[in-house]
Amino acid sequence: MMKTVKLTLLAVAVLASPSVMADAYKFYGRIDYSITNSDSGSATHSGKSGTILENNWSRLGIKGDAALNDDLTVFYQIEVGVNGASEGKQNNPFSARPTFLGIKHATMGQFAAGRMDPVFKMAKGSADAMDMYSLKHDRLFPGDKRWGDSLEYKTVKWNKLQLGASYIMEDNYYAEDDVRRENGNYQLALTFGDKNFRSGNLYLAGAYTDGVEDIKGFRAVVQYKYDNLILGSIYQSSELVNPNKDNWQQRDGDGFIVSAKYKIDKLTLKAQYGTDDSGTGKIAGRVYDALGTSATDVPEVSQWAIGAEYRLSKATRVHTELGQFDVKQYSDFDDTIVSVGFRIDF
């Protein structure tokens, strides 16, 4: 194991050397830990209850690009999750995160291959005020995973509009007789504006997924910024299309979240409410994992959450979150989350 860790660190050091990097590159990272108390473990990253230390996707990475000519640029990203602080990850301190290679044309858009955040996921923008923590939207409805062995294409922006498409390579995922090959295993997304409001105060997105993450679904996103207030919402319809899952034909429905963020100097206040009745989100999945086919009623999961984030500097912040999940028909899976965390970016 130590040999693997040493080789990984050596590879990162070599890649970070200016002699082997492209024209422009950046070495970056994030460490984000929370002390979280959970009643049942239904909503935590690990599924554990009690008072636990949570790793909120700490990572190390390198990204950059190299111009081939006036129109063509090669770009890349190599990123790993850093899990070494978790006792259960002592023999697996690194995990897969975005790692891809792509080419970008000035007028024809960009194409990439590898492990990427697909377009359905990224259509969410920053509408989820609790994203990255145990109160995030994927506890209600799916569509927040990234996939290896995938392809992605995005057009250049035209009047703030951009079209994107993602596809997972079926032969890397499914055996010849797997019925999931009958799904399209692709995603499409159309966005207007940008989630950081650099080009205006409005962000809109619509996205469709066919088979990726075992669902067919549609997602609509809206965000609006007015002075220091940011309002956001995600609506999603989800249908499970994996016959290997328990009671899969029943798991079809709709969900949404609405959120608000308000900035006061270095302090950002957050609030969010959401609900879903599709039985396809993370908490519903844990119900089916525990009860199997005896879970004859599709779980209806609702959520409220409040939080705050205070920036100590450009790179560091403290954050806290408080909220509850109510699981109709399955009260043993209700969960109350209280969390305090610290994050540093570099």
Side-chain angles (χ1 to χ4, degrees):
M1 181 61 212
M2 285 304 299
K3 183 178 180 181
T4 301
V5 173
K6 290 177 180 178
L7 287 173
T8 301
L9 294 176
L10 177 61
V12 171
V14 170
L15 286 169
S17 170
S19 63
V20 300
M21 294 301 288
D23 296 349
Y25 69 93
K26 178 183 180 182
F27 177 76
Y28 63 93
R30 174 184 298 176
I31 302 174
D32 189 340
Y33 295 129
S34 295
I35 297 175
T36 299
N37 183 266
S38 165
D39 286 347
S40 68
S42 294
T44 60
H45 300 325
S46 63
K48 294 180 179 178
S49 61
T51 302
I52 60 175
L53 182 67
E54 289 198 290
N55 178 3
N56 301 310
W57 321 118
S58 300
R59 78 285 304 259
L60 287 172
I62 302 167
K63 58 184 176 181
D65 56 57
L68 302 180
N69 54 43
D70 290 342
D71 292 324
L72 286 174
T73 301
V74 173
F75 62 93
Y76 65 90
Q77 184 170 340
I78 303 170
E79 184 176 303
V80 294
V82 180
N83 313 311
S86 302
E87 178 63 23
K89 300 290 186 178
Q90 59 184 335
N91 293 322
N92 187 24
F94 299 106
S95 57
R97 286 188 61 84
T99 301
F100 54 83
L101 179 65
I103 188 164
K104 181 177 181 179
H105 189 272
T107 59
M108 298 178 64
Q110 63 185 53
F111 176 82
R115 179 180 297 275
M116 293 162 286
D117 291 311
V119 296
F120 187 85
K121 172 183 178 179
M122 298 312 293
K124 68 182 178 180
S126 56
D128 183 355
M130 302 296 160
D131 204 12
M132 307 303 295
Y133 307 121
S134 288
L135 291 159
K136 64 181 295 185
H137 72 280
D138 74 340
R139 274 50 177 173
L140 301 177
F141 45 82
D144 206 52
K145 292 183 180 179
R146 71 178 57 86
W147 298 87
D149 301 316
S150 64
L151 308 176
E152 183 175 283
Y153 170 75
K154 291 181 180 178
T155 66
V156 296
K157 285 193 174 184
W158 180 78
N159 287 342
K160 300 182 183 181
L161 289 168
Q162 186 174 43
L163 178 66
S166 299
Y167 176 74
I168 63 171
M169 307 293 287
E170 293 179 352
D171 289 340
N172 288 100
Y173 281 90
Y174 308 128
E176 288 294 332
D177 59 349
D178 195 319
V179 296
R180 288 176 291 177
R181 283 180 172 271
E182 298 176 7
N183 300 320
N185 297 307
Y186 69 89
Q187 297 181 346
L188 298 173
L190 180 65
T191 61
F192 173 84
D194 68 272
K195 65 178 183 180
N196 296 312
F197 306 106
R198 296 188 183 96
S199 61
N201 293 329
L202 180 66
Y203 171 79
L204 300 171
Y208 174 76
T209 183
D210 187 338
V212 181
E213 205 169 324
D214 288 340
I215 65 165
K216 287 186 178 180
F218 171 77
R219 172 176 289 184
V221 183
V222 59
Q223 289 179 252
Y224 182 71
K225 184 177 186 293
Y226 180 76
D227 290 335
N228 292 334
L229 175 66
I230 299 177
L231 301 175
S233 181
I234 303 175
Y235 162 79
Q236 183 167 316
S237 65
S238 308
E239 175 190 359
L240 189 66
V241 291
N242 183 355
N244 300 315
K245 296 289 187 177
D246 292 323
N247 298 338
W248 69 279
Q249 292 175 310
Q250 297 179 337
R251 297 162 72 175
D252 180 1
D254 305 282
F256 71 89
I257 63 167
V258 290
S259 68
K261 293 181 281 189
Y262 189 78
K263 188 175 182 180
I264 308 171
D265 194 22
K266 297 179 180 180
L267 175 67
T268 301
L269 303 176
K270 307 176 182 182
Q272 186 159 294
Y273 173 80
T275 185
D276 181 85
D277 62 7
S278 69
T280 57
K282 184 179 288 291
I283 290 179
R286 286 174 171 168
V287 172
Y288 286 105
D289 288 344
L291 303 180
T293 55
S294 64
T296 55
D297 294 324
V298 177
E300 298 177 29
V301 185
S302 60
Q303 169 213 37
W304 67 264
I306 57 175
E309 179 180 283
Y310 185 81
R311 285 186 174 267
L312 302 172
S313 68
K314 184 178 179 180
T316 58
R317 66 189 75 180
V318 291
H319 55 86
T320 183
E321 299 82 35
L322 167 67
Q324 288 183 320
F325 290 95
D326 176 75
V327 187
K328 190 176 179 180
Q329 308 106 339
Y330 305 98
S331 59
D332 288 347
F333 293 86
D334 291 351
D335 207 357
T336 299
I337 296 290
V338 181
S339 188
V340 178
F342 183 89
R343 167 179 158 182
I344 181 167
D345 296 284
F346 56 89

